Structures are given as C-alpha cells and as structure tokens.
Amino acid sequence: MAILEQSDIKDRLREIKDYIFEIKFKNCLEKQILENLKSEIKYKLNTINIDSKTPDKIQEKINSIEELINFEDMRQNIKNKFNSIL
C-alpha cells in the first residue's frame, strides 16, 4: 500500500512540475519574447528618417519599412536568443 502511495505521489509531483515548467514558464517566455519583439519594431520604426522634401521620397521610405522590419526573421532571432539563455 505504501508503495502505491509513493508512486501516486511521484506521479502527482511530476504532473505539477510539468504544469509549472512547461505551461506557465512557456507562457511567461512567450510574453517576454513578444515584449522584446514589440520594442525592437518600435525602435526600428523610430529610426526611419522621413524628413524628405518630396512625397515620392517619403513614399519610398514607407515602402522600405517591410524590408527593414522582417517580422518573422526578427521573431525567430529573438526566440533563439531567449532559448539560448535557457
């Protein structure tokens, strides 16, 4: 009987550990990655100089934003940085 109880306790502890580390920790990590991604995008947007003298030049700058901010690449790079720390 005591062996069964110990087994149940170990299983329950494993479930708790899995919940804490795999679910809660991953949610927290995803939030941190998202916050970092948003900061990086804001920074890149702030570095764009749109002080041009013609509408065409301003339009050219606006069109280049997508090249400057490659969302998927940025997201993957940030995820890699966070995961390398772990």
Side-chain angles (χ1 to χ4, degrees), residues 23-52:
I23 295 172
K24 287 293 192 179
F25 183 72
K26 284 184 181 178
N27 286 342
C28 183
L29 182 62
E30 284 299 317
K31 287 178 185 176
Q32 291 296 319
I33 290 170
L34 183 60
E35 288 300 315
N36 194 280
L37 183 59
K38 290 191 296 188
S39 290
E40 188 71 23
I41 290 170
K42 287 177 184 178
Y43 172 76
K44 287 190 178 237
L45 286 172
N46 281 328
T47 62
I48 297 171
N49 182 4
I50 57 169
D51 292 335
S52 298

Side-chain angles (χ1 to χ4, degrees), residues 1-12:
M1 185 86 164
I3 294 173
L4 287 176
E5 289 176 7
Q6 277 186 336
S7 178
D8 289 342
I9 291 171
K10 286 181 182 179
D11 289 342
R12 189 70 181 138

